[in-house]
Amino acid sequence: MAEPKVMVMQSSLKLVIAATVAAAALGLSGCNRPRAARPPMRVLAEQPRQEAFVRSLDTVSTLEATTEIELASQAGGRVQRVLVQGGEPVSAGQLLVVLDQTQLLADVAALKAAAETDAISYQRFKGLVSQGAATALQRDEVRAKAIGSQEALRSKQADLAYKDVRAPISGVMADVTIKAGDVVQAGTPFSRIIRNNQLQARIDVPANQANAVARGQRVQLLDGINPRPLAEGRINLIDPGVNNTSQTLLAKATIENPRGLLRNGQRLRTRVILGADRQLAVPFSAVTRSFGQSFVFVVGTLSDLERDPGKADLASLRRLPKGTLLALQKPVNLGPLQGELYPVLSGLSSNNRVILSGSMGLRHGSPVQLKP
């Protein structure tokens, strides 16, 4: 009776194994099923439009004050007081430096007394001549002496005035190199007064751009951090020759500086506005970059893709429904960004539909659907 039990158990085991194999086979067949096709990405696309773009030349310039006065005493002597410091604004006629005047003050006092005495003598001799008590010759001699005394006094007073150094113009003081107690020589400069309300920009124009620059063109001085104009002016002078060493052409532009933000000697990025052109434009958000090359995605068809397939899987894409739109990556040559737009120099036509939004994750040949 034991034999039938063994046969039943073997049959049961075979059924279990068969069921397991069948389940595994079903599982494997489920893994090999094709995945559901990824739905096309929804994108917004437009044809590029003509926009006005400024043609410009970016270079550098050095600012120089149109009015700059060197300060020096007209007389020598020991410095008694220095009344200003570098960086301070001064007004025309303001007293800046006082030299020792002790000896000159004494000389002026003596000459003043002598001039007054001689003037009184002259008046007395005029009366004596009218009374017949003195001759006209004596009167004239006294008169000449009085005039001489007066001229000597004026001369010494002028020397005394030279001991005071005053500002010849209004402006801002540069560094003052003297201090109280120093002995200065007549004519030796000790500082400068710079008038910064109007500056001259000395613009270095590359020689290969020399013919593009003309008088009257706008000039913008740019911030070193943000590309915003700090000030503007117009070219009023162009040097006739190119510098042999630097191979640059010198152009000058007058820059108004009413708020004093710019300074003499400052070196700044400079943009010369050469003109304006209308060109196709693409927004900043539509542009991608890879290894220094700019790209945009345009809307195309399978036939467009077949002319430049790149790494796209044409076999898979050919199984898509007829008329499916695809994103095509196109290399473009762009000009400098102006605002939020790039001028298109080459690579696009006005018939292309540029994908403006929804391009994140797109690849060359990705199916897309246009947003209404």
Side-chain angles (χ1 to χ4, degrees):
M1 295 297 291
E3 241 176 66
K5 288 182 181 179
V6 171
M7 291 177 65
V8 170
M9 290 179 65
Q10 288 176 344
S11 299
S12 299
L13 182 60
K14 288 179 182 178
L15 288 172
V16 170
I17 293 171
T20 304
V21 171
L26 287 172
L28 288 172
S29 65
C31 291
N32 290 332
R33 286 176 187 171
R35 294 180 181 177
R38 186 177 179 181
M41 295 182 66
R42 292 173 58 82
V43 298
L44 178 65
E46 286 184 2
Q47 291 178 312
R49 293 174 292 183
Q50 293 275 345
E51 299 285 350
F53 287 97
V54 171
R55 286 186 295 110
S56 62
L57 168 66
D58 284 358
T59 181
V60 293
S61 65
T62 305
L63 301 182
E64 62 179 16
T66 54
T67 305
E68 181 178 350
I69 302 295
E70 203 166 49
L71 291 175
S73 173
Q74 291 180 272
R78 188 173 297 279
V79 178
Q80 193 173 66
R81 287 181 294 160
V82 178
L83 305 177
V84 290
Q85 295 180 350
E88 288 186 4
V90 295
S91 303
Q94 180 177 332
L95 184 60
L96 308 177
V97 176
V98 178
L99 301 183
D100 181 46
Q101 303 172 359
T102 305
Q103 183 59 51
L104 277 176
L105 286 171
D107 293 343
V108 166
L111 289 173
K112 186 176 182 180
E116 290 174 352
T117 300
D118 291 341
I120 293 171
S121 296
Y122 171 59
Q123 293 299 326
R124 186 173 69 251
F125 267 86
K126 281 174 62 177
L128 292 175
V129 169
S130 62
Q131 297 172 9
T135 65
L137 179 60
Q138 289 176 316
R139 179 201 61 198
D140 292 342
E141 289 176 349
V142 174
R143 178 174 176 272
K145 186 179 179 184
I147 292 173
S149 298
Q150 192 63 40
E151 291 301 321
L153 174 61
R154 288 199 185 97
S155 176
K156 194 60 72 172
Q157 285 174 331
D159 291 342
L160 181 61
Y162 291 155
K163 295 288 187 176
D164 290 338
V165 182
R166 296 182 180 272
I169 62 169
S170 299
V172 178
M173 291 290 298
D175 183 39
V176 180
T177 60
I178 58 174
K179 61 184 183 299
D182 289 347
V183 176
V184 298
Q185 302 296 321
T188 302
F190 63 84
S191 189
R192 292 168 297 143
I193 296 180
I194 300 169
R195 186 177 287 169
N196 267 338
N197 60 335
Q198 188 181 80
L199 299 167
Q200 197 85 349
R202 296 174 57 89
I203 306 165
D204 297 327
V205 179
N208 60 1
Q209 295 286 334
N211 294 332
V213 178
R215 293 183 63 180
Q217 288 174 336
R218 285 171 53 215
V219 172
Q220 295 178 335
L221 302 183
L222 306 179
D223 192 333
I225 301 174
N226 301 313
R228 60 181 180 83
L230 292 173
E232 293 193 4
R234 291 190 180 271
I235 292 177
N236 55 20
L237 182 147
I238 298 176
D239 197 86
V242 171
N243 185 290
N244 289 331
T245 304
S246 63
Q247 283 299 292
T248 57
L249 178 76
L250 173 64
K252 289 187 177 184
T254 300
I255 306 294
E256 298 297 332
N257 185 33
R259 292 187 295 165
L261 299 178
L262 307 174
R263 295 179 180 273
N264 178 61
Q266 193 171 356
R267 194 162 175 82
L268 291 170
R269 289 176 54 209
T270 304
R271 178 167 295 158
V272 180
I273 308 301
L274 303 177
D277 294 319
R278 295 190 68 81
Q279 292 176 280
L280 290 179
V282 292
F284 171 82
S285 58
V287 178
T288 58
R289 293 186 183 275
S290 178
F291 299 103
Q293 173 64 57
S294 299
F295 297 91
V296 296
F297 283 99
V298 300
V299 178
T301 62
L302 181 60
S303 59
D304 296 326
L305 179 65
E306 287 174 337
R307 288 192 288 269
D308 180 20
K311 296 182 180 180
D313 185 358
L314 287 177
S316 298
L317 294 173
R318 284 175 179 142
R319 292 196 294 268
L320 294 173
K322 188 177 180 180
T324 299
L325 298 177
L326 305 175
L328 307 179
Q329 191 179 45
K330 289 181 69 70
V332 288
N333 184 20
L334 306 176
L337 181 68
Q338 296 187 25
E340 293 296 321
L341 297 175
Y342 282 107
V344 180
L345 305 182
S346 63
L348 279 183
S349 72
S350 57
N351 295 324
N352 291 131
R353 287 178 293 176
V354 178
I355 295 176
L356 305 179
S357 66
S359 61
M360 185 68 70
L362 284 180
R363 294 184 178 181
H364 188 56
S366 296
V368 294
Q369 182 181 1
L370 295 180
K371 292 180 181 179

